[in-house]
Amino acid sequence: MDKKIKEIANIAPLHPGDERGNNQRHRCPLLSPRKDAKSVSMISSDPVSPKEEFIQVITQNLKSEGFDEISSRIIGVLFIEPEEMSFEEICIETGYSLSAVSTAMKNLSQFHIVRRFQKTGSKKAFFFLDKNLTAIGTQALRIKYDNIILPSKKILPNIIGKYELEKSDKAKSELEIVTRYYRHMLKLESIVENFLDTMENIALDDK
């Protein structure tokens, strides 16, 4: 039998109080329980601040309206901020790059709810968001009205005219579908137009 194995085999078994069983002297302090464990404060299970929660609410609401992730969060950050913000500050608060924020800001400019300006003596661009929620919703609907309803209303009669020249049964069936769609578009135009007039008047009253 190997000499090392013999030495191990000849070691007497441990008895109560034997110091060989007490390995506290070699235990890593990080693994040892604290004697004052009751005094250790607990870390909150909900580290999200009310500010961040509000930003998330705005972000999710705008995404539901069809806004992209970046634009939605930028609006959320600008909405909760009482003062104007620079490009750099928006990047820090949103976590997006300068180029991504710049592109999103150009897209948001069409809504006319984000004001861009420069301070005297500074070359930096600053941005401020109109906090009027009615105005924001109205602008979003106005864009859908201008970019979807009005162009469709203009194009559909020409499509219907071409279908009316067709003589096949299939063309007649398709014509019924297109004509019904056009009638619905005209009704939608009337509803949205009246709604926009009402919303824009409310937005003016709130200013």
Side-chain angles (χ1 to χ4, degrees):
M1 183 180 293
D2 185 86
K3 181 179 180 181
K4 185 67 175 177
I5 297 177
K6 288 182 179 179
E7 290 177 356
I8 296 174
N10 292 329
I11 294 176
L14 292 176
H15 299 287
D18 195 324
E19 289 187 359
R20 289 178 297 160
N22 182 3
N23 61 355
Q24 295 296 327
R25 291 171 298 174
H26 308 290
R27 180 175 297 178
C28 174
L30 295 178
L31 301 180
S32 302
R34 293 172 58 96
K35 294 181 180 180
D36 57 342
K38 292 183 179 180
S39 65
V40 178
S41 60
M42 297 297 292
I43 299 176
S44 173
S45 60
D46 184 16
V48 179
S49 67
K51 175 182 177 179
E52 178 60 27
E53 285 187 303
F54 179 79
I55 291 174
Q56 290 178 7
V57 168
I58 297 296
T59 301
Q60 292 304 317
N61 288 346
L62 290 172
K63 287 172 63 178
S64 299
E65 289 290 333
F67 285 77
D68 60 81
E69 175 77 29
I70 297 179
S71 298
S72 299
R73 181 156 182 85
I74 289 175
I75 292 178
V77 167
L78 286 171
F79 203 106
I80 194 63
E81 178 56 47
E83 305 295 334
E84 66 277 355
M85 298 182 70
S86 67
F87 256 127
E88 293 77 7
E89 290 172 331
I90 295 174
C91 291
I92 292 173
E93 287 292 325
T94 60
Y96 293 113
S97 66
L98 189 63
S99 60
V101 171
S102 179
T103 300
M105 289 307 239
K106 290 178 182 178
N107 295 332
L108 287 173
S109 64
Q110 63 181 319
F111 292 94
H112 306 293
I113 57 176
V114 178
R115 292 195 290 111
R116 174 175 177 158
F117 60 94
Q118 286 183 320
K119 294 183 178 180
T120 305
S122 175
K123 295 183 179 181
K124 287 185 177 182
F126 291 86
F127 300 88
F128 182 80
L129 178 71
D130 187 350
K131 305 301 191 290
N132 190 324
L133 188 59
T134 304
I136 295 175
T138 301
Q139 287 295 336
L141 184 58
R142 170 63 68 182
I143 288 177
K144 292 180 181 180
Y145 178 80
D146 293 340
N147 295 339
I148 298 176
I149 296 178
L150 292 184
S152 297
K153 176 187 173 184
K154 183 178 180 181
I155 295 172
L156 285 170
N158 184 48
I159 296 175
I160 291 174
K162 291 180 179 179
Y163 262 117
E164 289 175 342
L165 298 176
E166 299 288 335
K167 302 301 180 181
S168 66
D169 292 337
K170 189 175 186 302
K172 290 180 180 179
S173 298
E174 292 173 354
L175 174 60
E176 291 180 5
I177 295 173
V178 175
T179 302
R180 188 182 307 113
Y181 181 83
Y182 179 58
R183 289 199 302 266
H184 290 170
M185 186 64 67
L186 293 178
K187 291 180 180 179
L188 181 62
E189 178 199 19
S190 178
I191 293 171
V192 172
E193 192 172 29
N194 292 333
F195 182 75
L196 281 173
D197 289 339
T198 302
M199 294 293 287
E200 287 171 350
N201 288 331
I202 294 174
L204 289 174
D205 293 339
D206 288 342
K207 288 186 177 180

